[in-house]
Amino acid sequence: MRIAIAGGGPGGLYLAALMKSLDPSHEITVWERNAPDDTFGFGVVFSDETLGSIGGADRVVHDEMERLFARWTDIDVELDGHSFTVGGQGFAAMSRKDLLRALQQRALELDVTVHYRTDAPDVDELSAAYDLVVASDGLNSQVRTRRQEAFRPTLDRRANKYIWFGTDLVFEAFQFNVLTTQWGVMQIHGYPYSDTGSTFIVEMHEDVWRRAGLDRTEDQVFPPGASDTYAVERVSEIFATELQGHQVLTNNSKWLSFQTVRNERWYDGNVVLIGDAAHTAHFSIGSGTKLAMEDALALAACLHEHPSVGQALAAYEGERKPVVESTQRAAQASLEWFENIGMYADQDPAQFVFNLITRSRRITFDNLKDRDTVFAAQMEQEFARHQGAPQVVPAMFQPGRIGELELKNRVIVSPMDMYVATDGLVGDFHLAHLGSKAMGGAGLVMTEMTCVSPEARITLGCPGLWNDDQTRAWRRITDFVHSHSTAKIGVQLGHSGRKGSTKLMWEGMDEPLETGNWEVVGPSALPYGPGCHVPREATADDLRSIVRDFVVSAERAVEAGFDLVEVHAAHGYLLSSFLSPISNQRTDAYGGSMEGRLRFPLEVFDAVRQAVPAAIPVTVRISATDWAPDGNTDEDAVQLAAAFIEHGAAAIDVSSGQVTKDEKPSFGRSYQTPFADKIRHRVAGPAGVQVIAVGAISSYDDVNTILLAGRADFCALGRPHLYDPNWTLHAAAEQDYQGDAAEWPEPWKAGRRRPPTSRTDKIPPRLSVLREGEAKDVHVRWRPARAPVGG
């Protein structure tokens, strides 16, 4: 093959070396605009997984990298005078210049042609002359720009400012220094990369940056390679204590705003993107160099394994893109955490550090427990102390309170529509469904959305609470829960609005009924999506009638024995559709501004709160974002939550979306928890109101991590309880917890220990047992004078 590579950074050079080593007959040419000894930045960090792949692909490059690595396992966090160390992580870093030299030497040995100080020819010219064109030309890729209609890139410029320095202070570990200044919170990301220096990145929100006067050179145009000397002076002053008298080193150091690069496609014909041209991920999660070299490994393998370039590039994109997107999701969570770092300034130092370490949602409590048991135990102790708990137990089994309602643990069975009621009447199915979850150990079991009138139903299978028969049927279920478990049970009251009169979920979700349908209402005459009902715009009389329906249902909920009432103002149903500017385009007092859109939902909430005794908490579920242009955002959700809190909400149940069929959610592990986190720290926590996180929370490890980090007070889980009605009891068994927070019903107690799943009589060699029992070195520091040592 004839291969053209635009960009002679680590990704491009490594690909050239890999392809040439796989087949010396490949003719490979690299164009690099900079000189061979030019490089920007200081150190690069690698994971053990990446190093293993490099070792398997090219031993020469791997061995040279291994010779130059700084290695350590600790993360040091300095927070306004408080010091913490988390061990067992595992890092390897080296000088970017040394890495480039190693790759340049390898390319030279393998007879790769490299043109330094030379721009690559136009991509169309290269595409016509070569079998393969690789765009490894970085963040501002010219190739990507020329082919943007094919690649469809998006560039997301973020709110924080950062500047990349080095220092002759050799850190012993990964370093996070968080400093609360008179201008706001600033932070250092630092790590050693050799026996003489460390990378030293300073980051802060743009507002803090401006207040500190660091924007003085904002309009100054620096020549290529020049650094911002004023920034050096100011950073040296602000972080004098942290620098301990050492120098700040520069290399093209100037203030930047991070840009996340994403591309819908990674190849076009015989042109393919790798590295920063294809994607970027915030530096707080990993090295762009690492990702670029992983791209090169994947691309080289696909080219070697497939008979044609087209097949190889399709395989490369199919294999690598999902992996990078997963990394980008974690990086986005980390990036946003640092953008909002000021929000956590009032957290207890220990909880702040745990929050910092687990910010990407990739590292969890159990991960940390495996790596550093002492630190993990300290986090559980601190959580128990702050809860005023008499004993240290897993966070999910600490008792909690919503209003005056005491709950034995922090696990909630989330509302889940079952669609099996008849004329709004619940029956044996609901008794078995909700009763089993209550006996399964959850602290609170929530009903599915229970409709306040026949016209408020989503489907003909939805339950209701508008007549005596329904009240008695619900009473049967609440009595069972209270008699056979120590759980509490809550009812979610709602009105379907424009999403009503539809088929059962398994017959056609959101599709209008063909027979037996009824008129639906909404804030405006706008359908939920194509093929959906067009609602009638609700009149003032309609709204007054709906408020009365909610009041009657709330009164019946009390009569039926429910412990908690939740008002459903999420997921595009009636109250949610009033809150969203997408579905509410009224011109009267119930539309327009946020205040207007809140008016009717608050009228309903106030009426329910007044109808229910003070001892019974009333909560609200909201959609924290519409996931759509011109819809509500997480910032709007803070305002929504604040309004409901002001009107007496005992808890905010934070979900998202389902307001329009045009939504584009960013799904992922615990993907809605950041919204709960923001609401808790901005408005709910200071008001003493509880926050419930929900959405793709699937393991007890997720629950413990969310609670320990202070992102929510309770976690609601739906599908895991469908998979395992005894989810909470089994979580207790897995964690060796026995206590009131997960009490097994007497007839079930014989099964409270996990059954053995394999042979228990196998005896491993005794020396092996002894060696496995030896303590591993959790704390390894980089101390080059004596080589890495255990702490």
Side-chain angles (χ1 to χ4, degrees):
M1 291 176 62
R2 298 188 72 232
I3 302 172
I5 301 176
L13 287 174
Y14 189 46
L15 176 66
L18 288 172
M19 292 303 296
K20 199 72 171 174
S21 62
L22 285 169
D23 186 346
S25 69
H26 290 319
E27 180 187 325
I28 302 174
T29 306
V30 180
W31 287 267
E32 170 52 47
R33 68 176 60 187
N34 295 308
D37 54 351
D38 287 345
T39 184
F40 304 118
F42 293 89
V44 291
V45 183
F46 292 90
S47 66
D48 289 340
E49 183 181 9
T50 303
L51 293 175
S53 298
I54 291 172
D58 190 324
R59 201 73 212 174
V60 174
V61 171
H62 174 272
D63 290 350
E64 180 63 12
M65 291 172 66
E66 185 68 46
R67 185 180 69 82
L68 296 168
F69 273 139
R71 285 188 176 273
W72 69 97
T73 66
D74 281 355
I75 298 175
D76 290 343
V77 182
E78 298 287 336
L79 172 63
D80 293 332
H82 300 274
S83 299
F84 296 84
T85 294
V86 186
Q89 307 301 310
F91 298 98
M94 66 184 297
S95 161
R96 182 177 168 86
K97 285 187 176 181
D98 287 343
L99 175 62
L100 271 176
R101 287 193 194 103
L103 292 171
Q104 289 166 356
Q105 179 61 34
R106 185 64 173 147
L108 182 65
E109 291 169 358
L110 293 169
D111 200 25
V112 173
T113 301
V114 184
H115 300 296
Y116 293 105
R117 302 184 182 86
T118 308
D119 287 330
D122 182 79
V123 62
D124 291 342
E125 178 184 334
L126 291 174
S127 179
Y130 287 81
D131 301 307
L132 176 68
V133 180
V134 180
S136 181
D137 51 345
L139 173 68
N140 299 311
S141 169
Q142 294 299 308
V143 173
R144 186 187 66 225
T145 300
R146 287 278 282 114
R147 295 281 183 102
Q148 60 184 338
E149 289 186 7
F151 296 125
R152 298 190 291 278
T154 58
L155 280 69
D156 179 17
R157 181 184 179 277
R158 304 304 302 185
N160 272 15
K161 289 289 187 179
Y162 72 97
I163 190 166
W164 209 289
F165 291 124
T167 177
D168 57 354
L169 170 61
V170 180
F171 296 132
E172 294 187 358
F174 211 108
Q175 196 79 23
F176 287 111
N177 290 82
V178 182
L179 192 63
T180 302
T181 72
Q182 60 184 304
W183 309 288
V185 178
M186 302 179 180
Q187 65 264 12
I188 294 171
H189 309 250
Y191 56 87
Y193 61 79
S194 72
D195 57 0
T196 60
S198 302
T199 292
F200 181 84
I201 306 168
V202 178
E203 184 185 22
M204 66 199 73
H205 195 280
E206 184 174 345
D207 294 343
V208 177
W209 179 72
R210 293 191 184 282
R211 286 195 294 268
L214 292 165
D215 60 345
R216 196 174 91 172
T217 56
E218 181 178 17
D219 297 325
Q220 186 173 339
V221 178
F222 295 93
S227 297
D228 184 342
T229 56
Y230 176 71
V232 175
E233 294 171 12
R234 292 287 284 124
V235 165
S236 299
E237 293 169 5
I238 295 168
F239 293 100
T241 300
E242 288 71 22
L243 287 164
Q244 304 172 32
H246 287 264
Q247 288 183 299
V248 171
L249 308 176
T250 62
N251 182 347
N252 196 37
S253 303
K254 51 183 74 76
W255 290 107
L256 301 168
S257 297
F258 190 82
Q259 284 197 100
T260 300
V261 174
R262 298 179 179 88
N263 286 274
E264 288 188 32
R265 292 194 61 195
W266 284 17
Y267 71 97
D268 176 35
N270 66 340
V271 180
V272 65
L273 305 176
I274 69 170
D276 283 357
H279 49 74
T280 58
H282 193 251
F283 50 81
S284 62
I285 274 297
S287 161
T289 299
K290 165 188 170 296
L291 291 174
M293 292 181 71
E294 289 173 347
D295 287 350
L297 282 162
L299 179 57
C302 290
L303 287 165
H304 190 65
E305 292 165 356
H306 291 83
S308 72
V309 169
Q311 288 174 298
L313 298 188
Y316 161 69
E317 180 179 301
E319 171 190 327
R320 186 73 184 138
K321 193 165 182 271
V323 174
V324 168
E325 287 173 343
S326 176
T327 299
Q328 286 187 309
R329 283 193 295 272
Q332 188 74 9
S334 179
L335 173 156
E336 290 175 0
W337 194 92
F338 282 110
E339 288 179 342
N340 293 298
I341 195 170
M343 192 167 73
Y344 308 111
D346 294 333
Q347 274 194 314
D348 174 82
Q351 188 173 63
F352 178 95
V353 172
F354 182 83
N355 196 357
L356 166 66
I357 298 297
T358 61
R359 67 194 180 277
S360 72
R361 304 196 291 276
R362 278 193 163 184
I363 296 177
T364 64
F365 176 72
D366 272 5
N367 296 149
L368 288 176
K369 195 173 180 180
D370 288 341
R371 301 173 190 189
D372 190 337
T373 56
V374 173
F375 177 79
Q378 182 186 0
M379 294 304 103
E380 285 191 318
Q381 291 163 5
E382 287 295 310
F383 186 78
R385 182 174 68 84
H386 278 276
Q387 301 302 317
Q391 60 183 134
V392 178
V393 299
M396 65 186 290
F397 295 120
Q398 291 289 2
R401 180 190 289 266
I402 297 178
E404 296 185 25
L405 181 65
E406 293 188 8
L407 300 175
K408 63 181 179 180
N409 61 44
R410 304 300 180 103
V411 179
I412 297 173
V413 176
S414 194
M416 293 175 283
D417 292 325
M418 295 289 108
Y419 305 116
V420 292
T422 302
D423 295 328
L425 197 66
V426 293
D428 290 346
F429 177 91
H430 300 87
L431 177 66
H433 166 57
L434 298 170
S436 65
K437 310 304 183 292
M439 294 177 70
L444 175 66
V445 177
M446 292 297 301
T447 72
E448 62 198 281
M449 186 176 94
T450 302
C451 306
V452 297
S453 69
E455 298 76 26
R457 291 175 294 170
I458 308 165
T459 74
L460 290 169
C462 291
L465 196 44
W466 64 78
N467 64 36
D468 292 343
D469 288 343
Q470 294 162 353
T471 306
R472 284 190 291 271
W474 279 119
R475 185 75 203 204
R476 176 174 173 241
I477 291 171
T478 62
D479 284 348
F480 180 92
V481 169
H482 294 142
S483 299
H484 294 279
S485 78
T486 53
K488 304 299 182 183
I489 183 167
V491 63
Q492 185 187 72
L493 298 180
H495 190 298
S496 60
R498 66 179 186 169
K499 294 176 77 174
S501 190
T502 59
K503 297 177 181 178
L504 301 179
M505 179 176 66
W506 45 87
E507 294 175 351
M509 192 174 218
D510 300 318
E511 293 180 14
L513 286 171
E514 294 170 3
T515 59
N517 55 5
W518 57 89
E519 183 182 47
V520 298
V521 296
S524 303
L526 299 168
Y528 172 59
C532 296
H533 288 297
V534 177
R536 175 174 60 79
E537 182 172 307
T539 65
D541 287 342
D542 292 327
L543 300 184
R544 281 191 291 270
S545 176
I546 291 167
V547 171
R548 286 195 297 271
D549 290 339
F550 269 94
V551 169
V552 170
S553 291
E555 292 170 344
R556 289 186 176 279
V558 176
E559 184 182 347
F562 285 105
D563 302 298
L564 175 146
V565 176
E566 179 169 275
V567 174
H568 197 352
H571 299 169
Y573 299 119
L574 184 64
L575 302 187
S576 171
S577 64
F578 266 89
L579 293 172
S580 173
I582 291 175
S583 47
N584 184 350
Q585 297 182 12
R586 297 174 76 101
T587 57
D588 62 7
Y590 292 101
S593 66
M594 174 70 77
E595 181 183 7
R597 301 198 309 274
L598 268 163
R599 187 181 303 275
F600 179 61
L602 288 177
E603 286 179 1
V604 170
F605 185 89
D606 288 344
V608 170
R609 177 64 277 178
Q610 188 173 354
V612 172
I616 296 178
V618 178
T619 67
V620 64
R621 172 170 277 197
I622 63 171
S623 283
T625 177
D626 292 343
W627 298 113
D630 303 319
N632 283 331
T633 66
D634 55 343
E635 285 297 321
D636 296 314
V638 173
Q639 294 183 54
L640 297 178
F644 282 107
I645 289 169
E646 186 179 344
H647 284 248
I652 308 296
D653 186 358
V654 187
S655 188
S656 74
Q658 301 178 54
V659 173
T660 171
K661 279 197 169 184
D662 294 331
E663 69 176 3
K664 292 185 178 179
S666 297
F667 292 118
R669 182 180 196 171
S670 307
Y671 72 106
Q672 294 175 159
T673 299
F675 307 137
D677 188 19
K678 181 171 285 190
I679 288 169
R680 185 175 188 269
H681 283 92
R682 294 268 291 273
V683 290
V689 170
Q690 305 297 284
V691 170
I692 302 166
V694 63
I697 302 170
S698 57
S699 70
Y700 65 77
D701 188 24
D702 290 338
V703 174
N704 286 329
T705 303
I706 289 166
L707 297 173
L708 288 167
R711 295 177 188 131
D713 301 288
F714 293 87
C715 291
L717 297 87
R719 289 178 177 85
H721 282 108
L722 295 180
Y723 179 77
D724 179 5
N726 298 323
W727 185 88
T728 306
L729 294 180
H730 290 157
E734 293 282 350
Q735 297 172 84
D736 295 321
Y737 169 77
Q738 294 185 29
D740 294 341
E743 186 70 20
W744 285 70
E746 284 293 338
W748 292 1
K749 282 190 174 178
R752 69 181 181 271
R753 292 183 180 85
R754 186 179 184 185
T757 56
S758 59
R759 284 182 61 191
T760 56
D761 58 345
K762 182 180 178 182
I763 302 174
R766 290 184 66 194
L767 288 177
S768 174
V769 172
L770 289 171
R771 290 195 180 101
E772 286 173 7
E774 293 174 358
K776 62 182 180 182
D777 203 352
V778 173
H779 297 292
V780 175
R781 317 283 290 178
W782 174 245
R783 294 171 183 164
R786 301 185 300 277
V789 297

